[in-house]
Amino acid sequence: MTDPAVLPFLPFTRPTLDEATIGSVTEVLRSGWLTSNGPKVQAFEKQLSAYVGGRPVRTYNSGTCTMEIALRIAGIGPGDEVITTPNSWVATANVIIEVGATPVFADIDPRTHNIDMTAVEAAITPRTRALIPVHMAGLPCDMDALYALAHRHSLRVVEDAAQAIGSTWKGRRIGSFGDLVSFSFQVNKNIMTAEGGCLVVNDADEALLAEKYRLQGVTRSGLDGIDVDVLGGKLNMTEIAAAIGLGQMARLEEFNARRLALARHYFGCFGSDFEARYGAELPVADFGQCNWHMFHLVLPDRITRAAFMQKMLDHNIGLGFHYAAIHLFTFYRERGFKEGMFPVAERVCRQIVTLPLFPTLTEADVERVVGAVKAALG
Ligand SMILES: Cc1ncc(COP(=O)(O)O)c(C=O)c1O
């Protein structure tokens, strides 16, 4: 048998970049127009808008600032509470504090790992103004329950769809309906621009605000007309990033189809008795709506995550963990959060690992990962 340690290193993710895209980046570099609102950014925004059914879309240099801007567009600020999940990248909660509002967490569903709508409803107070649900690993939240609840309580929704490009709900793409929807194009995402993001807004007025917030609050008119009437940042996407985005966009459906095929292969290799035999939890087997941004495993309590990750590293396989519970970070503990507040998220976030999944992974790689997982779980 081949010594697993001499097999090539398998990371949990890896970007897929083709020569045509690299060529288009070179073209931008030679063109002289490298940054703001050039032809590539405009073309990328047009394609993204078409992808979400014609809703207005504006691009940015991260999927973090998109959410911050979404909160600003929704008028969220000091005195307001925003309910979100403790199971996300810390950006999801940080943006609430950035705009001066107060984050309120609600626990997650143990199977989907998405925010539990019953817990959300229980967390609503007279100060609640908005919700930031996350479509974790690309598995959509229950959109019917989410928007019914938001309407019932007159709340704005900022969907953190950082991981959900190409995911659908009952046949409709995430982003093509709902309120404000934020996508990330950070390097690990199903399509990436190295760093970047975009925000889907509701109408032309919001689109105008979305533009002002991304570039110092500036409005231009004529040849030399300029005014600033809101406080904006420097958050625009570069032409270089947009060139990468256009190359990725052309392959989004192919990438997502490949991820789906690999996810199916994972389930086939683990087999139907895996959970009962090893005590680990597989993700929801959603082969219709999820874009398979990640493939998660929740480990049994009998093994620590660090020990498991080390065993996988001994097989030359690198895992991720998405995520650590946000409310247990020092910064959040200092704001009154502590262990025991969100027990489901705390268990999942302590024991979750991310297995390799990216378009250039092979079926043989999946078989190798599953073999190593079973060996590591003994
Ligand atoms: C769920 C989630 N929210 C927010 C973000 C922030 O996006 P970005 O890294 O593009 O700022 C990410 C990605 O890193 C994410 O996965």
Side-chain angles (χ1 to χ4, degrees):
M1 204 184 102
T2 319
D3 176 0
V6 303
L7 290 168
F9 180 70
L10 264 188
F12 76 85
T13 188
R14 180 181 280 157
T16 309
L17 254 185
D18 52 41
E19 285 305 317
T21 307
I22 293 168
S24 72
V25 169
T26 312
E27 202 182 286
V28 168
L29 292 173
R30 292 190 203 288
S31 75
W33 195 339
L34 304 190
T35 65
S36 248
N37 216 18
K40 299 283 189 202
V41 165
Q42 287 183 34
F44 190 34
E45 288 183 346
K46 211 165 148 193
Q47 284 194 14
L48 288 164
S49 171
Y51 193 76
V52 294
R55 299 183 72 198
V57 177
R58 295 297 179 270
T59 53
Y60 297 87
N61 59 25
S62 78
T64 300
C65 69
T66 48
M67 290 191 288
E68 186 183 324
I69 287 178
L71 291 173
R72 292 193 194 283
I73 289 172
I76 310 298
D80 299 332
E81 289 177 0
V82 179
I83 301 174
T84 191
T85 167
N87 176 33
S88 184
W89 180 227
V90 66
T92 311
N94 283 353
V95 295
I96 299 169
I97 297 178
E98 283 286 351
V99 302
T102 304
V104 173
F105 295 105
D107 212 343
I108 60 169
D109 179 276
R111 282 301 295 147
T112 65
H113 305 163
N114 283 331
I115 200 165
D116 176 340
M117 295 303 165
T118 312
V120 172
E121 190 134 39
I124 291 172
T125 76
R127 288 168 55 191
T128 308
R129 295 278 313 284
L131 309 176
I132 310 187
V134 177
H135 306 298
M136 182 49 60
L139 183 70
C141 294
D142 180 333
M143 300 296 270
D144 298 337
L146 168 68
Y147 279 100
L149 190 153
H151 289 146
R152 222 166 29 248
H153 296 275
S154 303
L155 303 174
R156 294 298 302 262
V157 177
V158 176
E159 288 175 45
D160 182 347
Q163 305 177 357
I165 190 124
S167 297
T168 55
W169 175 257
K170 296 187 175 169
R172 299 163 83 194
R173 283 185 184 141
I174 294 298
S176 69
F177 63 103
D179 195 352
L180 298 157
V181 185
S182 163
F183 293 99
S184 166
F185 304 129
Q186 178 263 352
V187 69
N188 293 346
K189 301 300 186 283
N190 289 29
I191 62 167
M192 61 95 196
T193 58
E195 297 287 0
C198 76
L199 182 65
V200 185
V201 298
N202 291 296
D203 54 36
D205 288 343
E206 287 188 353
L208 194 63
L209 261 183
E211 286 173 17
K212 287 188 195 178
Y213 283 128
R214 83 175 160 191
L215 239 170
Q216 314 291 7
V218 163
T219 310
R220 292 183 185 275
S221 55
L223 275 184
D224 68 346
I226 181 164
D227 191 25
V228 172
D229 61 351
V230 295
L231 185 65
K234 182 68 165 59
L235 306 167
N236 56 295
M237 177 174 275
T238 66
E239 283 289 283
I240 301 161
I244 300 173
L246 285 165
Q248 294 271 296
M249 195 68 189
R251 299 186 62 187
L252 172 56
E253 299 308 309
E254 172 203 334
F255 287 166
N256 282 358
R258 180 70 191 142
R259 285 173 176 277
L260 173 64
L262 289 165
R264 277 186 190 279
H265 196 52
Y266 263 119
F267 278 96
C269 293
F270 278 119
S272 52
D273 64 344
F274 173 76
E275 293 189 327
R277 270 187 74 180
Y278 293 90
E281 291 162 44
L282 292 169
V284 175
D286 181 317
F287 302 131
Q289 304 196 121
C290 184
N291 71 355
W292 288 99
H293 172 58
M294 291 189 280
F295 195 101
H296 281 149
L297 205 59
V298 181
L299 303 171
D301 284 334
R302 63 186 165 80
I303 187 165
T304 67
R305 178 164 59 198
F308 181 79
M309 290 175 85
Q310 183 57 57
K311 284 182 183 227
M312 294 298 282
L313 267 182
D314 294 342
H315 287 257
N316 230 2
I317 297 169
L319 304 183
F321 63 97
H322 302 87
Y323 288 96
I326 297 174
H327 68 288
L328 299 182
F329 289 133
T330 301
F331 183 78
Y332 285 87
R333 284 179 189 269
E334 286 170 359
R335 279 153 185 77
F337 296 103
K338 55 179 188 284
E339 257 119 12
M341 285 180 149
F342 310 104
V344 182
E346 285 166 27
R347 183 185 65 86
V348 168
C349 292
R350 188 177 63 243
Q351 292 301 87
I352 202 161
V353 289
T354 308
L355 304 185
L357 181 59
F358 48 89
T360 53
L361 196 75
T362 66
E363 272 72 8
D365 292 332
V366 169
E367 290 150 27
R368 182 180 148 201
V369 174
V370 173
V373 167
K374 288 181 177 173
L377 288 177

mmCIF file of all heavy atoms in Angstrom, residues 351-373:
data_model
loop_
_atom_site.group_PDB
_atom_site.id
_atom_site.type_symbol
_atom_site.label_atom_id
_atom_site.label_comp_id
_atom_site.label_asym_id
_atom_site.label_seq_id
_atom_site.Cartn_x
_atom_site.Cartn_y
_atom_site.Cartn_z
ATOM 1 N N GLN A 351 -16.951 20.872 16.802
ATOM 2 C CA GLN A 351 -16.649 19.559 16.219
ATOM 3 C C GLN A 351 -16.705 19.538 14.689
ATOM 4 O O GLN A 351 -16.511 18.485 14.089
ATOM 5 C CB GLN A 351 -17.625 18.512 16.781
ATOM 6 C CG GLN A 351 -17.450 18.199 18.273
ATOM 7 C CD GLN A 351 -16.061 17.685 18.630
ATOM 8 O OE1 GLN A 351 -15.152 18.462 18.888
ATOM 9 N NE2 GLN A 351 -15.864 16.371 18.602
ATOM 10 N N ILE A 352 -16.958 20.668 14.054
ATOM 11 C CA ILE A 352 -17.127 20.647 12.590
ATOM 12 C C ILE A 352 -15.782 20.714 11.861
ATOM 13 O O ILE A 352 -14.859 21.390 12.314
ATOM 14 C CB ILE A 352 -18.062 21.791 12.125
ATOM 15 C CG1 ILE A 352 -18.659 21.467 10.746
ATOM 16 C CG2 ILE A 352 -17.333 23.148 12.096
ATOM 17 C CD1 ILE A 352 -19.899 22.280 10.421
ATOM 18 N N VAL A 353 -15.690 19.961 10.772
ATOM 19 C CA VAL A 353 -14.519 20.087 9.887
ATOM 20 C C VAL A 353 -15.012 20.194 8.449
ATOM 21 O O VAL A 353 -16.118 19.770 8.116
ATOM 22 C CB VAL A 353 -13.550 18.886 9.995
ATOM 23 C CG1 VAL A 353 -12.811 18.886 11.319
ATOM 24 C CG2 VAL A 353 -14.253 17.563 9.740
ATOM 25 N N THR A 354 -14.171 20.800 7.623
ATOM 26 C CA THR A 354 -14.480 20.962 6.202
ATOM 27 C C THR A 354 -13.553 20.056 5.405
ATOM 28 O O THR A 354 -12.325 20.190 5.492
ATOM 29 C CB THR A 354 -14.272 22.430 5.786
ATOM 30 O OG1 THR A 354 -15.004 23.267 6.687
ATOM 31 C CG2 THR A 354 -14.743 22.675 4.360
ATOM 32 N N LEU A 355 -14.136 19.129 4.660
ATOM 33 C CA LEU A 355 -13.348 18.199 3.847
ATOM 34 C C LEU A 355 -13.008 18.848 2.501
ATOM 35 O O LEU A 355 -13.698 19.777 2.072
ATOM 36 C CB LEU A 355 -14.138 16.906 3.603
ATOM 37 C CG LEU A 355 -14.634 16.156 4.844
ATOM 38 C CD1 LEU A 355 -15.285 14.829 4.418
ATOM 39 C CD2 LEU A 355 -13.499 15.888 5.826
ATOM 40 N N PRO A 356 -11.984 18.365 1.816
ATOM 41 C CA PRO A 356 -11.646 18.942 0.511
ATOM 42 C C PRO A 356 -12.821 18.874 -0.467
ATOM 43 O O PRO A 356 -13.476 17.841 -0.593
ATOM 44 C CB PRO A 356 -10.487 18.056 0.026
ATOM 45 C CG PRO A 356 -9.859 17.556 1.292
ATOM 46 C CD PRO A 356 -11.014 17.332 2.228
ATOM 47 N N LEU A 357 -13.113 19.988 -1.099
ATOM 48 C CA LEU A 357 -14.133 20.034 -2.158
ATOM 49 C C LEU A 357 -13.867 21.254 -3.024
ATOM 50 O O LEU A 357 -13.978 22.392 -2.557
ATOM 51 C CB LEU A 357 -15.545 20.106 -1.549
ATOM 52 C CG LEU A 357 -16.703 20.144 -2.570
ATOM 53 C CD1 LEU A 357 -16.705 18.933 -3.484
ATOM 54 C CD2 LEU A 357 -18.052 20.244 -1.856
ATOM 55 N N PHE A 358 -13.482 20.996 -4.255
ATOM 56 C CA PHE A 358 -13.255 22.078 -5.227
ATOM 57 C C PHE A 358 -13.286 21.440 -6.614
ATOM 58 O O PHE A 358 -13.107 20.210 -6.748
ATOM 59 C CB PHE A 358 -11.924 22.800 -4.946
ATOM 60 C CG PHE A 358 -10.729 21.903 -4.720
ATOM 61 C CD1 PHE A 358 -9.944 21.482 -5.779
ATOM 62 C CD2 PHE A 358 -10.400 21.472 -3.435
ATOM 63 C CE1 PHE A 358 -8.848 20.652 -5.575
ATOM 64 C CE2 PHE A 358 -9.299 20.635 -3.221
ATOM 65 C CZ PHE A 358 -8.516 20.226 -4.298
ATOM 66 N N PRO A 359 -13.536 22.234 -7.669
ATOM 67 C CA PRO A 359 -13.836 21.639 -8.977
ATOM 68 C C PRO A 359 -12.761 20.705 -9.544
ATOM 69 O O PRO A 359 -13.093 19.765 -10.264
ATOM 70 C CB PRO A 359 -14.032 22.857 -9.895
ATOM 71 C CG PRO A 359 -14.477 23.938 -8.971
ATOM 72 C CD PRO A 359 -13.748 23.699 -7.676
ATOM 73 N N THR A 360 -11.498 20.938 -9.211
ATOM 74 C CA THR A 360 -10.464 20.080 -9.806
ATOM 75 C C THR A 360 -10.131 18.867 -8.936
ATOM 76 O O THR A 360 -9.232 18.089 -9.265
ATOM 77 C CB THR A 360 -9.172 20.886 -10.097
ATOM 78 O OG1 THR A 360 -8.778 21.557 -8.894
ATOM 79 C CG2 THR A 360 -9.389 21.909 -11.202
ATOM 80 N N LEU A 361 -10.866 18.695 -7.831
ATOM 81 C CA LEU A 361 -10.714 17.476 -7.028
ATOM 82 C C LEU A 361 -11.178 16.296 -7.899
ATOM 83 O O LEU A 361 -12.078 16.445 -8.733
ATOM 84 C CB LEU A 361 -11.611 17.599 -5.790
ATOM 85 C CG LEU A 361 -11.367 16.652 -4.627
ATOM 86 C CD1 LEU A 361 -10.107 17.072 -3.855
ATOM 87 C CD2 LEU A 361 -12.567 16.663 -3.662
ATOM 88 N N THR A 362 -10.598 15.134 -7.713
ATOM 89 C CA THR A 362 -11.017 13.975 -8.515
ATOM 90 C C THR A 362 -11.820 12.997 -7.644
ATOM 91 O O THR A 362 -11.776 13.066 -6.410
ATOM 92 C CB THR A 362 -9.794 13.217 -9.075
ATOM 93 O OG1 THR A 362 -9.081 12.646 -7.963
ATOM 94 C CG2 THR A 362 -8.873 14.140 -9.866
ATOM 95 N N GLU A 363 -12.485 12.068 -8.313
ATOM 96 C CA GLU A 363 -13.221 11.025 -7.587
ATOM 97 C C GLU A 363 -12.245 10.219 -6.721
ATOM 98 O O GLU A 363 -12.557 9.843 -5.591
ATOM 99 C CB GLU A 363 -13.951 10.109 -8.580
ATOM 100 C CG GLU A 363 -15.350 10.573 -8.969
ATOM 101 C CD GLU A 363 -15.369 11.808 -9.880
ATOM 102 O OE1 GLU A 363 -14.288 12.240 -10.348
ATOM 103 O OE2 GLU A 363 -16.464 12.355 -10.104
ATOM 104 N N ALA A 364 -11.047 9.985 -7.269
ATOM 105 C CA ALA A 364 -10.045 9.217 -6.505
ATOM 106 C C ALA A 364 -9.632 9.993 -5.249
ATOM 107 O O ALA A 364 -9.406 9.394 -4.193
ATOM 108 C CB ALA A 364 -8.832 8.934 -7.388
ATOM 109 N N ASP A 365 -9.544 11.325 -5.362
ATOM 110 C CA ASP A 365 -9.230 12.144 -4.177
ATOM 111 C C ASP A 365 -10.310 11.962 -3.110
ATOM 112 O O ASP A 365 -10.020 11.833 -1.916
ATOM 113 C CB ASP A 365 -9.155 13.638 -4.534
ATOM 114 C CG ASP A 365 -7.966 13.986 -5.436
ATOM 115 O OD1 ASP A 365 -6.935 13.289 -5.372
ATOM 116 O OD2 ASP A 365 -8.086 14.971 -6.200
ATOM 117 N N VAL A 366 -11.572 11.988 -3.538
ATOM 118 C CA VAL A 366 -12.689 11.819 -2.591
ATOM 119 C C VAL A 366 -12.557 10.468 -1.887
ATOM 120 O O VAL A 366 -12.708 10.366 -0.662
ATOM 121 C CB VAL A 366 -14.050 11.933 -3.325
ATOM 122 C CG1 VAL A 366 -15.201 11.492 -2.420
ATOM 123 C CG2 VAL A 366 -14.273 13.357 -3.824
ATOM 124 N N GLU A 367 -12.257 9.438 -2.657
ATOM 125 C CA GLU A 367 -12.110 8.093 -2.069
ATOM 126 C C GLU A 367 -10.963 8.079 -1.055
ATOM 127 O O GLU A 367 -11.072 7.472 0.021
ATOM 128 C CB GLU A 367 -11.893 7.063 -3.190
ATOM 129 C CG GLU A 367 -13.174 6.861 -4.004
ATOM 130 C CD GLU A 367 -12.937 6.486 -5.464
ATOM 131 O OE1 GLU A 367 -11.882 5.894 -5.777
ATOM 132 O OE2 GLU A 367 -13.819 6.810 -6.302
ATOM 133 N N ARG A 368 -9.901 8.792 -1.394
ATOM 134 C CA ARG A 368 -8.763 8.874 -0.475
ATOM 135 C C ARG A 368 -9.162 9.589 0.818
ATOM 136 O O ARG A 368 -8.826 9.140 1.921
ATOM 137 C CB ARG A 368 -7.634 9.635 -1.189
ATOM 138 C CG ARG A 368 -6.375 9.751 -0.383
ATOM 139 C CD ARG A 368 -5.306 10.529 -1.169
ATOM 140 N NE ARG A 368 -4.477 11.265 -0.247
ATOM 141 C CZ ARG A 368 -3.738 12.314 -0.560
ATOM 142 N NH1 ARG A 368 -3.715 12.762 -1.812
ATOM 143 N NH2 ARG A 368 -3.010 12.918 0.345
ATOM 144 N N VAL A 369 -9.905 10.691 0.694
ATOM 145 C CA VAL A 369 -10.339 11.439 1.881
ATOM 146 C C VAL A 369 -11.240 10.571 2.758
ATOM 147 O O VAL A 369 -11.054 10.484 3.978
ATOM 148 C CB VAL A 369 -11.069 12.755 1.487
ATOM 149 C CG1 VAL A 369 -11.634 13.448 2.726
ATOM 150 C CG2 VAL A 369 -10.141 13.692 0.725
ATOM 151 N N VAL A 370 -12.205 9.902 2.135
ATOM 152 C CA VAL A 370 -13.151 9.089 2.908
ATOM 153 C C VAL A 370 -12.416 7.943 3.610
ATOM 154 O O VAL A 370 -12.682 7.653 4.789
ATOM 155 C CB VAL A 370 -14.300 8.565 2.008
ATOM 156 C CG1 VAL A 370 -15.182 7.572 2.763
ATOM 157 C CG2 VAL A 370 -15.131 9.748 1.504
ATOM 158 N N GLY A 371 -11.469 7.340 2.923
ATOM 159 C CA GLY A 371 -10.669 6.277 3.553
ATOM 160 C C GLY A 371 -9.924 6.800 4.766
ATOM 161 O O GLY A 371 -9.900 6.165 5.835
ATOM 162 N N ALA A 372 -9.353 7.987 4.627
ATOM 163 C CA ALA A 372 -8.598 8.579 5.739
ATOM 164 C C ALA A 372 -9.529 8.967 6.898
ATOM 165 O O ALA A 372 -9.185 8.779 8.069
ATOM 166 C CB ALA A 372 -7.841 9.812 5.240
ATOM 167 N N VAL A 373 -10.724 9.485 6.565
ATOM 168 C CA VAL A 373 -11.699 9.849 7.624
ATOM 169 C C VAL A 373 -12.063 8.603 8.420
ATOM 170 O O VAL A 373 -12.061 8.609 9.668
ATOM 171 C CB VAL A 373 -12.974 10.478 7.008
ATOM 172 C CG1 VAL A 373 -14.108 10.551 8.036
ATOM 173 C CG2 VAL A 373 -12.686 11.875 6.447
#
